[in-house]
Amino acid sequence: MPGPFLQLIARGDETAVAACLDEYGGMVWGLAERYLKGFGEDLEDAVQEVFVEVWRSAARFDPAMGSEPAFIATIAHRRLIDRQRRVQARRAVQLEDDRIIESKAVVKDGSALRDDVAAAARAFESLDSDEKQVLWYALYQGLSHERIAKAINVPLGTVKTRIRRGLSRLREALSTHAGKEVAS
Amino acid sequence: MSDNAMNAPISADAQRLLDLLADRATGALGPAEAAELDSLLRRVPQLTDADGRTITPDYFEASAGAAMFALGPQPQPLPSQVRERLLARGREIAREASRQVAPDSSSPAPAPSKPAGPSVLAKLGMLGWLAAAAAVILSVINIYNAQPRPAYRAYRDMLASGVQSVAFAPQGRFKDQNIRGDIVWDKTTKTGYARISNIAALDPKQQQLQLWVIDKDRPAGPQTPIDAGYFSLDSAYLDPVTKDYIVPITARLQVFNEQAIGLTIEHTGGSVTPTMENLVAVAPLK
């Protein structure tokens, strides 16, 4: 079944639920594993929380406003990072300042996700290294802005500016990608 | 681009709102900032950045979501048992959506869009017409019954507005009972809704559920936690579409610095202080 699936789910199409899970389940499960494994969190519970919100919000999905993967990623991000922050408050995090920060998303050929993820990876690669660094700490490591400032030894305001600038530039790059897709 | 290149001449409110939206996208909002964000979103309904781009409240969150995919690991196959359970839950939600979109196909036929003309009435005969009229009435009743209750719509509207939503964590002996639920809570108005499902029935003559607001800044004493309402598990709170119980969280006293919402089983009529042995679940607030 070709996507997008959310509008079908909003109309009550049960077969679209299975297709949606086949398309995005592995990605969300992978993200949940990456973010929450080792924190004693129930991965199934976290993934269910993400998908229940995705499906319950399906009627709000508007393709004119963004792609389906971006919509799902936004919800997954919000839910998973909330959980990670809750548990991370109880744990010390190993800082990895010298780690090479690069996009490493790999999605199987033929997936409807592939173009979006590839576009996100390209957009991320196009950022300046200082933007990539703070976003990697904030989104991949789940560090607070204060902890990032300490880790890379810059003022808090600089961290916030770099994060906002990086997110803006990502959004611009992805909007350009979406615009090209619409035009093609 | 320098680190200061985005300090463009836009209003102080708009600038602060941009900062807070970016902070929220990276999960960095404290309770005070979350309240400030709520307030600013109300004060600045239309936000544009220095380049004139319209910035929606989820503008940065969509970028953060994309960045997560870009940075994310290779997708892992969903364990088959997890997939089955998710599938069952998803189909349930799709069925609920289906009932909201249109009446059940097994329901009596809906009314024709135009009144039947004399020739049709003649063909049907009076009995047929009465049956058709009854079908219309039944259909309307079915549609009405399948509509979400106002409480559910209010819950859903709050959820969509971006206020915090936190899952209930079952406590003690209730951990094994697969109770599900969550709360939505607006820190500005100090109001919210609890959604509860999969909870065992209680005899309403003996026991009721009671909600509590745990307030960090309220001195210890009989007024803490704050009573936030008690209720029976009956049709008054049961949403016919979702089969969830949706209950307003109404704190009886002023809330200063809420930390969590608790749910206990109490004797009918509620208690002044929660019975901790009967603590069903807690939803921690940010």
Side-chain angles (χ1 to χ4, degrees), chain B residues 5-284:
Chain B
M6 290 188 71
N7 294 338
I10 57 176
S11 78
D13 272 359
Q15 183 66 51
R16 179 66 180 151
L17 186 48
L18 283 169
D19 287 342
L20 290 173
L21 288 174
D23 286 356
R24 183 176 71 174
T26 47
L29 284 190
E33 289 169 314
E36 186 186 358
L37 175 60
D38 283 342
S39 164
L40 279 170
L41 281 171
R42 290 192 183 98
R43 283 216 306 271
V44 187
Q46 292 273 339
L47 179 64
T48 52
D49 68 7
D51 298 323
R53 278 185 297 260
T54 299
I55 308 291
T56 58
D58 67 350
Y59 184 87
F60 293 119
E61 283 188 300
S63 304
M68 267 179 78
F69 273 3
L71 287 165
Q74 189 157 8
Q76 300 296 317
L78 271 180
S80 57
Q81 321 89 294
V82 174
R83 185 181 183 282
E84 287 311 305
R85 283 191 285 268
L86 281 173
L87 199 52
R89 188 76 181 101
R91 284 176 170 152
E92 195 181 302
I93 292 169
R95 277 195 293 274
E96 290 162 9
S98 169
R99 285 193 292 267
Q100 288 175 55
V101 169
D104 194 307
S105 58
S106 63
S107 302
S113 56
K114 291 178 185 174
S119 61
V120 176
L121 277 179
K123 284 178 187 170
L124 279 173
M126 187 54 79
L127 194 61
W129 186 87
L130 285 173
V136 170
I137 292 165
L138 281 172
S139 159
V140 168
I141 290 169
N142 282 342
I143 293 167
Y144 174 78
N145 284 338
Q147 294 304 309
R149 293 260 193 268
Y152 187 77
R153 285 200 291 272
Y155 161 86
R156 204 168 49 188
D157 288 348
M158 273 189 92
L159 192 64
S161 74
V163 300
Q164 62 177 311
S165 166
V166 186
F168 267 128
Q171 304 290 310
R173 68 179 190 277
F174 299 96
K175 283 180 182 171
D176 300 329
Q177 295 185 14
N178 200 29
I179 293 168
R180 300 265 175 192
D182 51 39
I183 59 110
V184 289
W185 180 257
D186 186 332
K187 287 192 86 100
T188 308
T189 61
K190 310 288 186 189
T191 58
Y193 286 88
R195 183 182 66 84
I196 304 153
S197 60
N198 271 5
I199 190 162
L202 298 173
D203 177 357
K205 290 179 184 165
Q206 303 290 326
Q207 292 181 308
Q208 288 182 303
L209 287 166
Q210 189 162 359
L211 287 158
W212 305 91
V213 177
I214 292 100
D215 188 337
K216 188 180 174 186
D217 288 352
R218 184 169 280 278
Q223 293 183 332
T224 184
I226 300 167
D227 169 19
Y230 51 85
F231 58 98
S232 297
L233 290 170
D234 60 27
S235 58
Y237 296 103
L238 181 66
D239 189 88
V241 174
T242 63
K243 305 300 179 195
D244 294 331
Y245 291 97
I246 306 288
V247 186
I249 305 169
T250 312
R252 309 294 189 218
L253 298 168
Q254 187 178 356
V255 176
F256 297 104
N257 188 1
E258 58 275 38
Q259 278 190 307
I261 304 294
L263 179 70
T264 60
I265 295 174
E266 304 292 342
H267 57 76
T268 297
S271 299
V272 177
T273 54
T275 307
M276 295 312 288
E277 311 87 85
N278 288 340
L279 179 62
V280 177
V282 171

Side-chain angles (χ1 to χ4, degrees), chain A residues 23-159:
Chain A
E23 184 69 27
Y24 303 111
M27 177 60 82
V28 175
W29 184 262
L31 288 171
E33 263 199 342
R34 170 64 190 85
Y35 274 63
L36 301 172
K37 201 165 187 177
F39 285 101
E41 283 288 282
D42 183 340
L43 293 187
E44 180 178 346
D45 201 41
V47 170
Q48 171 151 309
E49 191 179 329
V50 169
F51 274 108
V52 166
E53 183 173 343
V54 165
W55 292 326
R56 283 208 159 125
S57 311
R60 284 197 291 119
F61 169 62
D62 179 356
M65 301 296 289
S67 72
E68 188 172 82
F71 182 85
I72 293 173
T74 303
I75 290 173
H77 162 69
R78 189 183 299 155
R79 289 292 182 176
L80 295 177
I81 209 162
D82 274 358
R83 274 185 180 249
Q84 192 195 50
R85 285 193 190 286
R86 281 202 298 270
V87 292
Q88 208 163 41
R90 305 193 296 264
R91 280 177 68 124
V93 175
Q94 180 71 41
L95 295 179
E96 300 174 69
D97 295 87
D98 55 348
R99 184 150 174 180
I100 297 168
I101 302 160
E102 57 186 13
S103 163
K104 51 183 181 177
V106 182
V107 180
K108 64 182 185 285
D109 281 351
S111 164
L113 257 179
R114 186 188 55 187
D115 286 351
D116 277 71
V117 174
R122 280 197 302 276
F124 190 82
E125 284 306 311
S126 74
L127 301 181
D128 293 343
S129 59
D130 57 359
E131 295 162 353
K132 283 196 279 191
Q133 183 185 41
V134 291
L135 285 175
W136 184 80
Y137 274 129
L139 297 171
Y140 200 63
Q141 286 286 356
L143 293 192
S144 69
H145 296 182
E146 289 80 5
R147 293 189 71 180
I148 297 170
K150 280 183 191 163
I152 62 175
N153 198 27
V154 299
L156 177 61
T158 302
V159 170

